[in-house]
Amino acid sequence: LRPLAARMSGRVSRVTSSSFSERTGKRLAMAGNPGDLGITDWLGIKGLGAVVGAILFFLIFTFVLGMGPIGGLAMGALGVVVGYIAPEFWLGRKVKARQKAVLLMIPDTLDLLTISVRAGLGFDAALGRVVEKLKGPLSDEFRRALAEVRVGKARRDALRDIVPRTEVTPLTNFIGAIIQAEQLGVSISKVLQVQSEQLRIERRQRAEEQAAKAPIKMLFPLVGCIFPSLFIVILGPAVILIMMNLNT
């Protein structure tokens, strides 16, 4: 499908603005560029989805539901919109899943960084140890930052570029603290220790928040599934006896 999507991307790019392309590129970066998709590939996929959506809606509403050709064409136009927008929902789920994975990796990553720096390693060497020992999207971002540092980019710029690719608030605060410590000459080990303690507190608060939400989330399946079954079991025999007495 990639060659077909590439041919569609040229037509779609003519009707899209530059701001939309920039926003798409940012969202793809936040999703980790799944399948090595670029902006042109993604625009082609959206165009291909619009064509497939139009064909499916036309066939379903014309031949299956019997709306006729005119109704099928109208629903085919709706299928164009649905097929064009549908890939965005998939990309949104990818972005949220990656952000959640980054958020879950931050405490362990920070602990390993703190231990490595206290053991005498430099910050870059400690990042290399994190990349070596841990696997996940955060390690991939640090690996990319280290590669950029090796080719001559300033470390604070390489770290700062991680922020728009993730948009995870604890990670943004951590990177900001590291850059500020480097600029002011503060000991990085102390900054890492403070950030590690703060992240543990935030992780405990998130766990307590999720635990507080659990009873409310359990209320809907209780009301919708369990309570009706209990009512049937408890009140069913009584209803049957009442009906039998009324018939007699």
Side-chain angles (χ1 to χ4, degrees), residues 59-70:
L59 293 177
I60 291 173
F61 285 94
T62 302
F63 298 103
V64 178
L65 300 179
M67 293 183 63
I70 297 177

Side-chain angles (χ1 to χ4, degrees), residues 3-236:
L4 182 59
R7 287 195 293 269
M8 292 291 299
S9 64
R11 300 177 181 178
V12 177
S13 60
R14 287 195 292 267
V15 297
T16 56
S17 61
S18 58
S19 61
F20 177 79
S21 299
E22 293 177 359
R23 187 167 63 252
T24 300
K26 181 179 179 180
R27 294 192 69 196
L28 287 172
M30 291 174 61
N33 292 105
D36 294 329
L37 293 174
I39 298 177
T40 55
D41 297 327
W42 184 249
L43 292 178
I45 289 174
K46 288 174 69 68
L48 186 60
V51 173
V52 173
I55 295 174
L56 286 178
F57 271 55
F58 176 78
L59 293 177
I60 291 173
F61 285 94
T62 302
F63 298 103
V64 178
L65 300 179
M67 293 183 63
I70 297 177
L73 289 175
M75 300 308 297
L78 178 62
V80 171
V81 178
V82 173
Y84 186 80
I85 297 176
E88 295 291 341
F89 292 98
W90 176 81
L91 184 61
R93 290 200 306 270
K94 284 287 185 181
V95 171
K96 292 181 180 179
R98 189 169 186 267
Q99 288 177 334
K100 184 177 180 180
V102 169
L103 183 63
L104 293 177
M105 283 189 65
I106 291 176
D108 294 336
T109 300
L110 198 52
D111 288 340
L112 184 56
L113 274 175
T114 304
I115 294 171
S116 300
V117 171
R118 286 186 174 181
L121 294 178
F123 185 73
D124 292 343
L127 281 181
R129 182 60 58 89
V130 168
V131 171
E132 178 184 353
K133 296 296 183 181
L134 300 179
K135 303 298 180 183
L138 186 55
S139 298
D140 296 338
E141 291 293 342
F142 283 145
R143 183 181 294 107
R144 179 174 176 177
L146 287 175
E148 292 175 350
V149 170
R150 293 191 186 100
V151 298
K153 194 172 186 178
R155 183 173 67 185
R156 59 177 173 270
D157 294 334
L159 291 176
R160 192 178 290 114
D161 290 341
I162 296 177
V163 174
R165 295 197 300 264
T166 54
E167 291 191 359
V168 178
T169 302
L171 180 61
T172 302
N173 297 336
F174 164 67
I175 292 176
I178 292 297
I179 294 175
Q180 188 176 11
E182 183 181 2
Q183 292 174 344
L184 299 178
V186 181
S187 174
I188 293 182
S189 62
K190 294 182 179 179
V191 174
L192 290 175
Q193 181 179 0
V194 173
Q195 290 291 316
S196 179
E197 294 175 355
Q198 181 65 27
L199 283 175
R200 288 193 184 94
I201 295 174
E202 292 179 358
R203 182 169 59 178
R204 184 170 61 250
Q205 290 175 347
R206 286 196 300 270
E208 292 174 353
E209 181 182 0
Q210 293 178 358
K213 291 180 180 179
I216 299 176
K217 294 180 179 178
M218 292 171 60
L219 182 63
F220 296 101
L222 282 173
V223 173
C225 300
I226 299 178
F227 284 169
S229 302
L230 290 176
F231 290 153
I232 293 173
V233 173
I234 295 173
L235 300 179

